[in-house]
């Protein structure tokens, strides 16, 4: 049997249930892994007591013959965007330094109810704004991967769920939560060779999840493979009366319905996703993905999403606009830090606190958002962007008339070195070129590891589905996973 730290959710759950090992042994193994991985800067707060308490509860329930939960015995990492009762939560920002929630987010509560334990709170781009995990106030997360050129360049794990990506890829946690606003689960999953799933908007409650862009933010699982993502999403999802955007629908048994036979399915290839200067290896992998899905029984059809080129500009108006509104609450009065210069008045305190607490990327997006919402510019920018968003959603609706799912690359490149793009925000924003359109439309999508580039770094393929067709997305992802047989993983150097 493989070492415990090599196991994912399904194998851990099975091993605990069969008595091959105890949940406490699992927790202790991963607690040691977390403690030994400090050089990756992926874990902001370690919570070994939480993981052990959940494990002991699982072992006690098993001894009593009780039915175990879907995540029983599985300790996970928690992105620091989820409020966790009694455990510091920062969203990667100094402005929330010292904030300890007195309540539990619905997603984390659901996971704990299903038997999961928490190993720690995971580093992330500040307020989920970033594609490389270089905007955290607590330092960069370093990818566990290295290029095969013999050098030791520190690589970006992707963002904003970079800490989550790093710990799952490095076998430091068997799975982790992520959030996806414009690709923040899928892009980092592709960068580190794991599987990441963004469900339909509204599947997972946003209550207790620190907001970036409320009409886009959605929680999802990051794990070793498709099955583990299905198991974890079943535990995360569900209606929540505390979130007005939560879908009042039952949670399907996605794991039980997994199948990789795609006979009768039509897979669309959007021609507008063949962007200029696409690296040949990304294009080759996309073509390989087409062949894999044909082998699984699917029919390939070309489709058109004509407003794709407007997706990034629309996203970078809508998301900052919502961010500027959401982040107005951080003023030094109600949450986290307060900067009160001698003799300062209330307005001076607001200004000083926000100047000290927010990082450059957050300030940039607040300024953009405030500008596009200002009198005289609202209709010219925000209203127009919302109209474009509608057109993009209509593009997908039209595509579903001729196909069931879409296949695209996840990201336009493999992981890059830390610092290589940080001086060029536009280049950084282009990392999300393949993931943003489906986010604007609120559709489910998955990134599956599918190959390596010439430097030995992971590349991912993305499946996008209709709203609420998580099962179709999981099944096509499983078909890719079985044929890609991706087993590469980073060598432990940390």
């Amino acid at each position: 049997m493989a070492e415990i730290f090599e196991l994912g959710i399904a194998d851990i759950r099975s091993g605990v249930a069969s008595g091959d090992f105890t949940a406490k042994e699992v927790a202790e193994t991963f607690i040691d892994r977390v403690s030994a991985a400090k050089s990756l800067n992926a874990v902001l707060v370690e919570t070994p007591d939480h993981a052990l308490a959940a494990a002991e509860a699982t072992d006690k329930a098993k001894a009593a013959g009780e039915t175990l939960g879907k995540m029983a015995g599985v300790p996970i990492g928690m992105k620091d965007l989820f409020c966790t009762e009694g455990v510091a939560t920062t969203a990667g920002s100094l402005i929330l330094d010292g904030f300890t929630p007195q309540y539990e987010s619905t997603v984390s509560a659901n996971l704990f109810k299903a038997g999961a334990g928490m190993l720690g709170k995971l580093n992330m781009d500040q307020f989920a704004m970033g594609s490389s995990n270089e905007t955290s106030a607590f330092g960069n997360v370093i990818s566990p991967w290295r290029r095969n050129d013999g050098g030791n360049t520190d690589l970006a794990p992707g963002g904003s769920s970079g800490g989550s990506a790093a710990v799952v890829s490095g076998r430091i946690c068997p799975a982790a939560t992520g959030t996806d606003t414009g690709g923040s689960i899928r892009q980092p999953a592709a960068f580190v060779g794991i599987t990441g799933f963004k469900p339909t908007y509204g599947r997972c409650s946003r209550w207790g999840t620190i907001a970036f862009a409320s009409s886009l933010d959605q929680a999802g699982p990051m794990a070793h493979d498709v099955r583990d993502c299905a198991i974890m999403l079943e535990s995360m999802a569900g209606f929540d009366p505390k979130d007005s955007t939560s879908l009042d629908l039952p949670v399907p048994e996605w794991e039980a319905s997994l199948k990789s036979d795609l006979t009768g399915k039509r897979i669309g290839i959007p021609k507008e996703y063949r962007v200029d200067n696409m690296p040949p290896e990304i294009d080759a992998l996309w073509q390989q993905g087409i062949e894999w899905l044909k082998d699984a029984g699917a029919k390939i059809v070309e489709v058109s999403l004509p407003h794709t080129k407007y997706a990034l500009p629309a996203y970078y108006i809508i998301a900052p606009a919502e961010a500027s509104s959401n982040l107005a609450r951080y003023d030094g009065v109600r949450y986290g830090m307060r900067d009160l210069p001698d003799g300062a008045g209330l307005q001076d305190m607001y200004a000083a606190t926000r100047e000290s607490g927010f990082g450059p990327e957050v300030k940039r997006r607040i300024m953009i958002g405030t500008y596009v919402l200002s009198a005289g510019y609202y209709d010219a920018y925000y209203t127009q962007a919302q109209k474009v968003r509608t057109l993009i959603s209509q593009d997908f609706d039209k595509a579903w008339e001729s196909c069931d799912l879409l296949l695209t690359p996840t990201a336009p490149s493999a992981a890059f070195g830390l610092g290589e793009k940080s001086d060029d925000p536009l280049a950084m924003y282009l990392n999300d070129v393949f993931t943003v359109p489906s986010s604007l439309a609120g559709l489910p999508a998955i990134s599956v590891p599918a190959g390596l580039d010439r430097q030995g770094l992971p590349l991912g393929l993305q499946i996008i589905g209709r709203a609420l067709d998580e099962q179709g997305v999981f099944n096509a992802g499983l078909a890719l996973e079985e044929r890609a047989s991706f087993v590469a993983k980073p060598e432990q150097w940390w």
Side-chain angles (χ1 to χ4, degrees):
M1 187 178 72
E3 297 278 357
I4 288 177
F5 66 83
E6 296 281 2
L7 304 179
I9 294 173
D11 289 333
I12 290 174
R13 188 181 62 179
S14 174
V16 169
S18 64
D20 291 341
F21 41 73
T22 65
K24 185 178 180 182
E25 289 175 314
V26 175
E28 289 173 341
T29 297
F30 284 103
I31 288 169
D32 290 343
R33 297 283 293 176
V34 168
S35 181
K38 297 186 189 304
S39 59
L40 298 180
N41 197 31
V43 183
L44 294 176
V45 180
E46 297 179 23
T47 55
D49 291 345
H50 191 289
L52 285 171
E56 288 168 357
T58 294
D59 289 335
K60 185 177 178 181
K62 179 177 180 297
E66 299 175 9
T67 301
L68 301 181
K70 293 179 185 292
M71 297 287 292
V74 182
I76 62 172
M78 192 70 68
K79 186 176 181 178
D80 202 27
L81 206 62
F82 295 94
C83 289
T84 43
E85 185 176 6
V87 181
T89 301
T90 67
S93 178
L94 279 180
I95 208 161
L96 278 170
D97 196 20
F99 171 57
T100 301
Q102 300 304 302
Y103 54 92
E104 196 72 52
S105 76
T106 298
V107 163
S108 55
N110 287 347
L111 286 163
F112 299 153
K113 185 179 178 182
M118 181 171 67
L119 290 160
K121 301 298 289 289
L122 304 177
N123 204 351
M124 53 175 283
D125 279 303
Q126 191 166 160
F127 282 103
M129 299 179 190
S131 300
S132 62
N133 226 123
E134 293 176 281
T135 73
S136 169
F138 305 103
N140 304 334
V141 174
I142 299 171
S143 171
W145 287 81
R146 296 290 203 203
R147 291 172 175 146
N148 61 10
D149 59 5
N152 57 359
T153 301
D154 288 339
L155 299 175
S160 64
S161 306
S164 303
V167 297
V168 177
S169 179
R171 273 57 180 173
I172 298 160
C173 301
T177 56
T179 62
D180 195 313
T181 304
S184 289
I185 286 175
R186 292 161 284 165
Q187 182 252 24
F191 274 16
V192 302
I194 64 171
T195 304
F197 193 95
K198 185 197 87 71
T200 305
Y201 181 79
R203 272 288 190 200
C204 293
S205 170
R206 293 183 299 108
W207 196 85
T209 308
I210 295 172
F212 162 19
S214 300
S215 74
L216 295 157
D217 298 342
Q218 190 59 193
M222 302 177 75
H224 289 178
D225 55 32
V226 172
R227 184 184 180 193
D228 282 1
C229 282
I231 296 170
M232 191 169 173
L233 185 60
E234 286 180 24
S235 300
M236 297 171 70
F239 174 63
D240 180 5
K242 296 194 289 288
D243 175 5
S244 62
T245 63
S246 176
L247 296 171
D248 191 1
L249 295 170
V251 178
E253 297 280 341
W254 292 302
E255 182 198 8
S257 301
L258 280 174
K259 64 175 184 178
S260 57
D261 182 357
L262 302 183
T263 301
K265 293 292 184 184
R266 301 163 299 169
I267 307 295
I269 307 299
K271 61 182 182 182
E272 290 80 7
Y273 279 46
R274 296 193 185 280
V275 298
D276 294 339
N277 303 317
M278 181 184 287
E281 51 202 347
I282 299 289
D283 197 40
L285 185 73
W286 195 6
Q287 187 58 45
Q288 180 61 71
I290 291 172
E291 299 304 320
W292 283 332
L293 294 183
K294 285 181 181 176
D295 183 63
K299 178 183 178 183
I300 305 297
V301 297
E302 184 174 271
V303 298
S304 177
L305 301 171
H307 297 94
T308 295
K309 63 182 176 183
Y310 304 118
L312 273 179
Y315 175 83
Y316 279 103
I317 290 174
I318 294 169
E322 295 184 12
S324 73
S325 177
N326 277 323
L327 271 59
R329 75 191 70 178
Y330 304 111
D331 53 14
V333 176
R334 288 162 288 192
Y335 304 95
M337 69 171 289
R338 174 180 300 167
D339 191 346
L340 183 61
D342 289 343
L346 185 63
Q347 292 291 339
D348 297 324
M349 185 198 72
Y350 290 164
T353 298
R354 292 167 69 81
E355 165 61 23
S356 302
F358 290 138
E361 181 62 28
V362 175
K363 291 175 185 173
R364 178 183 295 119
R365 299 198 193 196
I366 289 175
M367 292 295 288
I368 292 171
T370 304
Y371 178 78
V372 302
L373 291 177
S374 60
Y377 296 100
Y378 186 94
D379 286 338
Y381 292 102
Y382 187 70
T383 302
Q384 289 298 318
Q386 290 288 24
K387 289 179 179 176
V388 171
R389 184 179 191 175
T390 299
L391 293 173
I392 289 169
S393 293
Q394 291 173 346
D395 283 351
F396 282 106
D397 291 339
K398 184 72 174 175
W400 303 138
E401 295 176 3
S402 55
C403 68
D404 302 295
L405 301 156
L406 297 171
L407 172 70
T408 80
T410 305
S413 72
F416 46 84
L418 291 170
E420 289 180 358
K421 294 187 178 182
S422 54
D423 292 334
D424 187 348
L426 292 179
M428 194 69 80
Y429 295 167
L430 286 172
N431 279 294
D432 298 331
V433 65
F434 297 130
T435 54
V436 156
S438 51
S439 292
L440 287 170
L443 303 176
I446 193 171
S447 178
V448 177
L452 301 172
D453 76 347
R454 63 182 181 280
Q455 295 180 314
L457 300 178
L459 300 171
L461 287 171
Q462 176 181 224
I463 296 288
I464 303 169
R466 291 183 174 93
L468 303 178
D469 186 22
E470 278 84 2
Q471 191 67 62
V473 176
F474 276 130
N475 289 347
L478 182 63
L480 289 175
E481 179 181 279
E482 289 178 352
R483 286 157 180 81
S485 301
F486 186 90
V487 295
K489 56 187 177 183
E491 294 185 11
Q492 186 168 341
W493 52 265
W494 54 91

